[in-house]
Amino acid sequence: MSKAKKRTILLYGRSRSGKSTQLGEMVEYVYRLTGKKSRIYTADKGGTDPLAPYIALGLVEVIEQGDTDIWIFLNKASNGYVRDSKGKWIPSDLSNIGMIAFESLTAFADGLMASMVQKASENISIGGGANVSFTVSGDGESLKVSGSNMAMYGIGQARITDEVWRSQKLNTDYIIWTASASKDEDTNAGGKVIGPAVIGKALTAEVPRWFNLSFRIDALPAQGGKPERHILYLGNSVDTAAGNAVSLGNTRVPLDSPPLPSSIEPASLVRALDMIKDAESKSLEIVKKRMNL
């Protein structure tokens, strides 16, 4: 088996755009390329149905959050830990793991915020900020209601940033994080952007820069008797259907690389990786020739 070049990848898109399906395609790709299996840590509630064949064949192991506290689960996942037969978290051997995927950045971020809101309802101070909570009564019942404050956003953003960076140090060929898409007016990015949804707006334009490669995937609904279409965008692109918002992405190919297409349809993360690999190889040959090496 050939040695894969280590890649850290962000794949984001709205619900049902095909992110999990792309992970399944990657499981096959990684196994063919390296002979290694894959692992997926998931905090998503949507299930792993698109991955069922790979799970049944033993090509991928799925580690679900289950009843584990979201803070603990995120930390153990980013460190590549697994549960033993008694449910205790232990370090794992990654020598036979070619890809580790995290489903999803948005689910982990939402979980952290929900956890802090719950702690606020229990009168636990978060970051020194005043708790947002009150009690409502009716029908002989009472309910404690709580919300988030700005301190929670800062804590959550700092934590998710730290954990993503930690995960990228894992000794495996591919690290992939998926995320839902966010469409917002982002003053830090200078206008409307479409990027990953992560705890407010501050990280929307920043997260794609954390990865070697970042891609947006989208699904266009079936119409006029034609089936649903799935598109993978390479690099930044303008989405006219979203008020000319800039869809964020990067491929980081060398300067002398032949141009890549702006999108791939039907969507294929594997095809995109092969195109990038080919572009890198051609760029190397161009530089070698120019430098007489």
Side-chain angles (χ1 to χ4, degrees):
M1 299 292 178
S2 61
K3 173 66 177 176
K5 176 181 178 179
K6 182 167 184 176
R7 308 276 193 184
T8 62
I9 301 169
L10 170 69
L11 177 66
Y12 72 94
R14 55 183 171 173
S15 179
R16 299 185 61 82
S17 59
K19 297 185 293 293
S20 295
T21 299
Q22 293 301 311
L23 288 184
E25 187 181 55
M26 281 297 298
V27 169
E28 288 191 43
Y29 179 74
V30 169
Y31 188 76
R32 289 197 310 268
L33 187 65
T34 69
K36 298 178 182 180
K37 300 178 181 179
S38 297
R39 178 186 298 164
I40 296 176
Y41 292 95
T42 178
D44 271 350
K45 309 304 180 186
T48 56
D49 290 348
L51 300 170
Y54 309 105
I55 297 171
L57 292 171
L59 296 178
V60 61
E61 58 183 48
V62 177
I63 301 178
E64 298 178 324
Q65 178 190 352
D67 295 329
T68 303
D69 179 88
I70 188 64
W71 299 85
I72 299 298
F73 184 63
L74 175 57
N75 181 255
K76 295 305 180 185
S78 70
N79 281 286
Y81 278 46
V82 295
R83 299 184 183 94
D84 65 13
S85 58
K86 296 181 180 180
K88 180 181 178 181
W89 288 102
I90 58 172
S92 66
D93 179 9
L94 298 179
S95 61
N96 194 40
I97 300 295
M99 177 181 78
I100 296 180
F102 301 84
E103 283 259 70
S104 67
L105 190 59
T106 307
F108 279 109
D110 289 349
L112 295 182
M113 290 300 293
S115 173
M116 287 187 282
V117 169
Q118 176 60 35
K119 293 181 185 304
S121 73
E122 298 166 0
N123 296 319
I124 298 174
S125 178
I126 305 294
N131 286 341
V132 181
S133 62
F134 57 93
T135 300
V136 295
S137 301
D139 297 334
E141 303 287 341
S142 62
L143 176 68
K144 188 80 172 279
V145 179
S146 56
S148 56
N149 58 38
M150 291 308 297
M152 293 180 186
Y153 281 91
I155 292 170
Q157 289 167 353
R159 191 65 184 181
I160 205 76
T161 301
D162 182 56
E163 300 289 15
V164 170
W165 280 109
R166 181 178 291 110
S167 75
Q168 296 185 3
K169 298 178 183 178
L170 293 172
N171 187 25
T172 190
D173 302 301
Y174 295 92
I175 301 292
I176 301 181
W177 283 79
T178 66
S180 297
S182 172
K183 182 176 66 177
D184 287 304
E185 185 77 26
D186 194 309
T187 55
N188 294 329
K192 295 180 180 178
V193 298
I194 301 174
V198 192
I199 306 181
K201 301 178 182 179
L203 295 182
T204 298
E206 296 299 318
V207 173
R209 302 190 185 108
W210 298 352
F211 296 84
N212 298 147
L213 306 169
S214 297
F215 304 95
R216 176 192 170 208
I217 188 171
D218 199 14
L220 303 181
Q223 59 180 347
K226 295 182 179 180
E228 185 176 70
R229 298 163 52 199
H230 294 261
I231 303 173
L232 185 76
Y233 294 94
L234 282 67
N236 292 339
S237 59
V238 175
D239 191 329
T240 56
N244 291 325
V246 176
S247 173
L248 301 175
N250 63 63
T251 53
R252 299 188 192 277
V253 293
L255 180 62
D256 290 294
S257 300
L260 296 173
S262 59
S263 63
I264 296 175
E265 184 181 353
S268 173
L269 183 54
V270 166
R271 188 178 168 201
L273 293 178
D274 282 342
M275 284 181 174
I276 291 168
K277 188 187 303 183
D278 182 61
E280 291 171 339
S281 178
K282 289 179 178 177
S283 174
L284 176 61
E285 293 304 314
I286 290 171
V287 174
K288 285 173 62 177
K289 184 176 180 180
R290 187 168 63 238
M291 301 296 293
N292 295 317
L293 297 174

